[in-house]
Amino acid sequence: MTKIRRPSRTARVLLPAAVAGALLSGCAQADPAPAAPTAGGTPSAAPSAAMTVTPTPAAPVKTVTGPAAGTLLVTDFGSDTVTFVDPARGATGSVKVGTAPYGLALGKDGRAWVATAEGVAVVDTAARTRLALVPYRTDTGPVTTGEYRGGGMGIALSPDGERVYVGVNVPGGNGTVEVIDTASAQVVEVVGVGRRPFDVDVSRDGSQVYATDHDSFDVTVVDADSLATRRIEVAPYGTDGGLGSWLKPHYTAVRPSDGRLLLPFEGERLAVVDPASGRVEIEEMTANTHQHGAAVTPDGTLFAVGTGPIRSGDRGPSLTVRSPEGFERVYPLEGPHEDVAVSKDGRTAYVTGGFTRDGYWDGISVVDLASGKVERLAAGSRPLGVVVF
């Protein structure tokens, strides 16, 4: 059931710069740097004059060098790679992963899991090498490229890092979510979902998985233990037009405070979905542009990517930053974009220019959220997915 909630007055007001500063101050702060290790442990008693002490060579210290904090990793839909990007200097190297990579997820162990048309690539981000390519069990037909290619799309890790969930598109039919055991790097379960699972998300406690099914106007809720599924229709504009409609769900963000799902539509409507009851409430948005990527920070601030107009009267590409109270600030962008990630300190947003349709460009818009300044950064070929180390 969909309930349209009358928006509050504050929900219709663009976020002023002063309020933006207060809004952003609540975002998660960077983790403190770990203390430097101390050598030698507990000191022993000093040797007497009659003792001869032979120093024991210290055991070699194994150093693991990985990407610096703040480094970006993006999927290059146009060149079958993932690229490491220094926000200050640009691209610093790439790794071949598989045909037409789409979404990616980054584990605490430094491994990245990348959804490609061929399978899920496992990347050691410290060594900058592909460790494995996990083939799909789902038959997706010939390996192809382009917007409607079969294979992996949305992808997410369980909170404990033991499972990867990848949405697999089957051209012309319903998709699946495949479950990968991270220890063995093998598919262990397959569950049916809706058509074209653009995005996959996991609840904070890991008990549920959410597949955002673009072409069937719904979200499939998957019980992580039993793999039982429920479909929730999310169609604030209705389902007229079917496969030809633009007014479909694309990406979902899970609200930290209550686990509800946030799905932006057209810069006009925000669908807030209770996955337990299936209830959908609609709140007003203000950007008035076709929207794709979505992300949420720990304090509940929503980031939504506007790709540009699809109807007469629509506005251009943008990034919407929406506070938990419904205040919005809209940052204009140049050219279509697809997805977004936010720096650990909450001060900078990184918006990929790949876009799943025509009009993409090979770079990232770097948005200073306090000043509104936007810089364009070259980064890979048609970058779609993005994460921040």
Side-chain angles (χ1 to χ4, degrees):
M1 181 175 68
T2 300
K3 175 184 176 183
I4 298 181
R5 190 173 81 184
R6 185 179 300 277
S8 66
R9 183 176 181 182
T10 57
R12 299 194 297 268
V13 180
L14 289 182
L15 186 63
V19 178
L23 159 65
L24 296 168
S25 66
C27 295
Q29 299 300 308
D31 293 332
T38 58
T42 304
S44 60
S48 69
M51 295 173 62
T52 300
V53 178
T54 303
T56 302
V61 177
K62 184 178 180 181
T63 302
V64 178
T65 303
T71 299
L72 312 177
L73 185 65
V74 300
T75 55
D76 301 318
F77 196 70
S79 61
D80 306 341
T81 58
V82 291
T83 293
F84 296 83
V85 181
D86 180 335
R89 299 186 295 124
T92 62
S94 299
V95 177
K96 207 79 171 177
V97 290
T99 303
Y102 189 96
L104 77 164
L106 181 63
K108 295 178 182 178
D109 59 1
R111 287 187 296 172
W113 301 81
V114 187
T116 81
E118 303 173 58
V120 174
V122 188
V123 176
D124 181 332
T125 61
R128 297 196 176 191
T129 185
R130 190 183 82 175
L131 300 174
L133 183 67
V134 184
Y136 302 119
R137 286 189 188 175
T138 304
D139 182 4
T140 62
V143 174
T144 61
T145 61
E147 181 186 2
Y148 297 99
R149 63 114 173 101
M153 298 189 72
I155 190 168
L157 270 163
S158 62
D160 61 12
E162 294 181 0
R163 293 287 186 270
V164 169
Y165 302 97
V166 56
V168 180
N169 178 42
V170 178
N174 283 349
T176 65
V177 165
E178 298 206 0
V179 185
I180 298 173
D181 173 69
T182 58
S184 64
Q186 293 184 347
V187 175
V188 293
E189 300 284 357
V190 180
V191 57
V193 295
R195 295 178 71 114
R196 234 170 136 220
F198 242 69
D199 195 15
V200 173
D201 298 273
V202 182
S203 63
R204 295 187 71 187
D205 63 3
S207 65
Q208 293 184 329
V209 181
Y210 311 114
T212 304
D213 307 318
H214 179 268
D215 285 356
S216 49
F217 297 88
D218 58 31
V219 171
T220 301
V221 179
V222 182
D223 184 280
D225 290 329
S226 68
L227 300 184
T229 63
R230 292 180 291 112
R231 298 278 186 89
I232 301 174
E233 182 177 283
V234 188
Y237 294 88
T239 60
D240 290 347
L243 293 178
S245 173
W246 286 80
L247 307 176
K248 302 173 185 174
H250 291 86
Y251 293 82
T252 295
V254 181
R255 190 159 64 188
S257 61
D258 58 9
R260 281 174 166 73
L261 312 181
L262 307 177
L263 293 87
F265 285 80
E266 308 307 314
E268 296 175 338
R269 302 177 186 183
L270 177 67
V272 181
V273 181
D274 181 352
S277 67
R279 187 180 183 86
V280 182
E281 294 186 350
I282 305 300
E283 299 178 8
E284 183 180 352
M285 297 188 76
T286 59
N288 192 25
T289 187
H290 188 58
Q291 286 176 320
H292 274 208
V296 66
T297 52
D299 72 340
T301 301
L302 176 67
F303 293 74
V305 178
T307 68
I310 61 167
R311 301 167 297 181
S312 175
D314 285 357
R315 298 183 186 134
S318 63
L319 174 68
T320 292
V321 181
R322 180 184 179 91
S323 78
E325 297 76 29
F327 290 100
E328 291 188 349
R329 182 174 179 181
V330 179
Y331 300 81
L333 301 176
E334 181 183 348
H337 292 70
E338 183 66 23
D339 209 353
V340 60
V342 185
S343 64
K344 191 76 172 179
D345 62 11
R347 297 175 180 175
T348 309
Y350 305 102
V351 195
T352 56
F355 193 37
T356 55
R357 298 187 64 85
D358 294 338
Y360 62 86
W361 57 284
D362 296 337
I364 295 172
S365 286
V366 181
V367 184
D368 183 302
L369 298 170
S371 68
K373 181 179 179 181
V374 180
E375 295 183 351
R376 289 164 69 93
L377 180 67
S381 174
R382 197 174 182 178
L384 294 185
V386 55
V387 294
V388 183
F389 285 91

